[in-house]
Amino acid sequence: MADSSFDIVSKLDRQEVDNALGQAAREVATRFDFKGTGATIEWKGEKAIEITASADDRASAVLDVFKDKLVKRNVSLKVLDASEVRQSGQQSKIDITLKEGITTEDAKKIGKLIRDEGPKGVKAQVQGDELRVSSKKRDDLQAVQRLVKEQDYDFAVQFTNYR
């Protein structure tokens, strides 16, 4: 029998993020506490978002609204890398970069965890920005998925290509 396998990845659903951003922008435009503050949230390139407001607390409030929308759309908040509030003339700005992919060192951490604590006979190999886990038994793969989910990594984890 051939080995069963799955991939551990950290992917970003750009459409869901775009929808959450649109919802947050509409809420900011219509909410009473944002009237007259010049608060906006918009894309700044492919993988960056910029929040602008007239005060630091309003910029932070827009960030909270955006996070709420992401959570409602089942997007992990670990994909966000938000900077501190910074002054730019009369405006307060927050830059958010979106993180995607597993770094080589993070993949090595997960691989070491699987080797040390996972079931015997499970192999993990790094393939670019993802990690392929294979084993003869599907039950072992499910145990590995449970093990990886229990860990608290600073990146979002998804499992794909379960065969």
Side-chain angles (χ1 to χ4, degrees):
M1 190 173 114
D3 282 5
S4 298
S5 69
F6 68 88
D7 296 336
I8 299 175
V9 298
S10 180
K11 293 250 187 277
L12 176 68
D13 188 351
R14 183 163 161 76
Q15 186 61 51
E16 289 294 336
V17 174
D18 193 37
N19 291 342
L21 186 116
Q23 287 179 335
R26 276 193 301 279
E27 183 171 326
V28 165
T30 58
R31 248 175 58 177
F32 178 76
D33 55 337
F34 289 117
K35 291 277 190 236
T37 61
T40 60
I41 180 170
E42 57 198 14
W43 285 105
K44 184 180 166 191
E46 267 305 294
K47 299 237 185 262
I49 296 170
E50 185 176 64
I51 295 174
T52 309
S54 59
D56 292 0
D57 63 326
R58 292 293 86 201
S60 299
V62 173
L63 180 60
D64 290 340
V65 168
F66 181 54
K67 285 180 178 179
D68 285 345
K69 300 301 179 190
L70 285 174
V71 167
K72 285 182 183 168
R73 295 193 145 284
N74 292 327
V75 177
S76 173
L77 295 180
K78 293 179 180 179
V79 301
L80 296 182
D81 187 17
S83 68
E84 292 296 315
V85 179
R86 63 180 170 78
Q87 289 297 99
S88 176
Q90 297 288 318
Q91 302 283 313
S92 297
K93 293 187 177 187
I94 299 176
D95 290 322
I96 303 170
T97 53
L98 302 172
K99 297 185 290 187
E100 188 171 29
I102 298 175
T103 63
T104 308
E105 65 185 48
D106 288 335
K108 285 180 182 174
K109 277 186 208 168
I110 296 173
K112 181 168 173 33
L113 171 80
I114 292 170
R115 278 192 306 281
D116 294 347
E117 298 180 28
K120 297 293 176 225
V122 175
K123 297 183 287 290
Q125 61 210 64
V126 179
Q127 294 181 336
D129 62 349
E130 54 188 43
L131 186 72
R132 167 79 39 98
V133 180
S134 58
S135 171
K136 295 250 185 254
K137 299 183 196 158
R138 287 184 170 218
D139 292 345
D140 289 349
L141 292 179
Q142 290 172 339
V144 168
Q145 285 183 345
R146 237 180 328 226
L147 179 68
V148 171
K149 278 183 186 174
E150 288 169 359
Q151 305 302 313
D152 187 31
Y153 294 111
D154 58 347
F155 54 92
V157 175
Q158 294 97 21
F159 305 105
T160 59
N161 293 336
Y162 189 73
R163 305 183 179 141

